[in-house]
């Protein structure tokens, strides 16, 4: 992994306009971690204790329905995005989802305990927490609105905007699950778009 301190510093400057002092206050709490394809950042029924920043790789958040034995993809997170089960992280209650690496991935992460400590001692870290909450609220509301207001094709195009090369990186059935459609429907959408 490249220098994790510089990766975090750059992201914090861009995301929350943090100063060098703010960044220095939090630097020691961020740790690097490699996660192999198919391994988990967090598991269903476990508390999500860490907030990760994706340095390299892609993750899916999915729910496994034990009644139907099927997976339902809810979100994808790729480079320069935070990865977390936010509800579980802030409430410290068990997670309803799995967070799985879709390819060999690298993250830097901070624990709930360490981040909460930073909120207490530094107002700019508290601002970071507010911005993080706003970001994940926006993700959740956008996801809901996409199912209400947008066609399958529009949802697919929006996914490509957010994750430009996701089609080359993960199997199409994961994309179908995320869009709430079948694989043949996804194939038809992709053919229409190529014309």
């Amino acid at each position: 992994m490249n220098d994790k301190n510089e990766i975090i510093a750059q992201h914090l400057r861009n995301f929350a306009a943090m100063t060098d002092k703010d960044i220095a206050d939090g630097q020691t709490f961020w740790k690097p971690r490699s996660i192999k394809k198919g391994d988990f950042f967090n598991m269903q029924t476990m508390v999500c204790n860490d907030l990760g920043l994706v340095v390299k790789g892609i993750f899916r958040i999915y729910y496994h329905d034990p009644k139907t034995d099927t997976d339902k993809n809810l979100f994808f997170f790729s480079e320069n995005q935070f990865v977390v089960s936010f509800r579980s992280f802030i409430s410290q209650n068990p997670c309803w989802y799995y967070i799985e690496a879709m390819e060999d991935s690298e993250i830097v992460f901070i624990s709930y305990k360490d981040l909460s400590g930073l909120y207490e001692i530094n107002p700019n870290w508290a601002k970071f927490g507010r911005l993080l909450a706003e970001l994940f609220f926006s993700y959740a509301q956008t996801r809901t609105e996409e199912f209400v207001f947008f066609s399958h094709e529009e949802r697919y195009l929006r996914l490509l905007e957010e994750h430009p090369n996701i089609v080359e990186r993960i199997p199409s059935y994961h994309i179908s699950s995320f869009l709430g459609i079948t694989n043949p429907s996804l194939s038809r959408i992709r053919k229409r778009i190529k014309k």
Side-chain angles (χ1 to χ4, degrees):
M1 187 182 292
N2 295 332
D3 181 34
K4 68 112 178 160
N5 288 347
E6 190 44 47
I7 290 166
I8 282 297
Q10 191 59 49
H11 197 78
L12 293 174
R13 284 187 201 104
N14 293 341
F15 180 71
M18 288 197 164
T19 67
D20 288 345
K21 183 197 176 303
D22 300 329
I23 292 165
D25 285 349
Q27 203 84 69
T28 57
F29 299 115
W30 291 88
K31 311 285 186 223
R33 181 176 164 197
S34 295
I35 303 175
K36 293 280 185 204
K37 178 180 178 177
D39 286 346
F40 294 93
F41 175 76
N42 202 71
M43 304 273 284
Q44 194 168 314
T45 72
M46 292 177 64
V47 173
C48 187
N49 282 310
D50 299 318
L51 168 71
L53 174 66
V54 182
V55 175
K56 177 173 122 0
I58 190 163
F59 291 81
R60 70 174 177 137
I61 290 189
Y62 71 95
Y63 170 71
H64 180 77
D65 187 339
K67 291 178 186 157
T68 60
D69 198 33
T70 57
D71 297 342
K72 295 177 179 149
N73 290 329
L74 304 170
F75 293 98
F76 296 113
F77 294 106
S78 55
E79 287 83 3
N80 299 308
Q81 290 185 307
F82 290 108
V83 60
V84 68
S85 171
F86 197 66
R87 183 199 57 79
S88 174
F89 185 74
I90 60 171
S91 69
Q92 290 294 281
N93 287 317
C95 181
W96 294 346
Y97 319 114
Y98 290 97
I99 305 177
E100 178 188 17
M102 304 295 292
E103 55 190 29
D104 290 348
S105 301
E106 294 177 1
I107 64 166
V108 284
F109 71 95
I110 188 168
S111 72
Y112 173 82
K113 179 175 164 288
D114 290 336
L115 188 56
S116 296
L118 286 169
Y119 292 166
E120 295 298 320
I121 63 166
N122 183 316
N124 284 343
W125 275 100
K127 177 186 169 192
F128 167 86
R130 177 179 58 80
L131 292 172
L132 191 68
E134 290 173 359
L135 176 69
F136 277 87
F137 174 79
S138 175
Y139 284 159
Q141 186 159 352
T142 299
R143 182 85 168 114
T144 302
E145 289 171 350
E146 283 176 349
F147 274 94
V148 174
F149 300 122
F150 294 103
S151 69
H152 301 312
E153 189 168 313
E154 288 168 326
R155 290 204 303 273
Y156 177 69
L157 292 169
R158 288 170 67 90
L159 175 66
L160 294 184
E161 275 177 38
E162 188 165 357
H163 306 281
N165 50 3
I166 195 168
V167 172
E168 293 85 42
R169 296 172 73 179
I170 67 171
S172 60
Y173 65 87
H174 285 301
I175 294 170
S176 301
S177 170
F178 174 80
L179 296 172
I181 60 176
T182 63
N183 250 357
S185 295
L186 177 60
S187 295
R188 286 193 293 274
I189 288 170
R190 290 170 72 174
K191 279 180 189 162
R192 276 200 306 273
I193 289 169
K194 283 180 183 172
K195 287 180 182 174

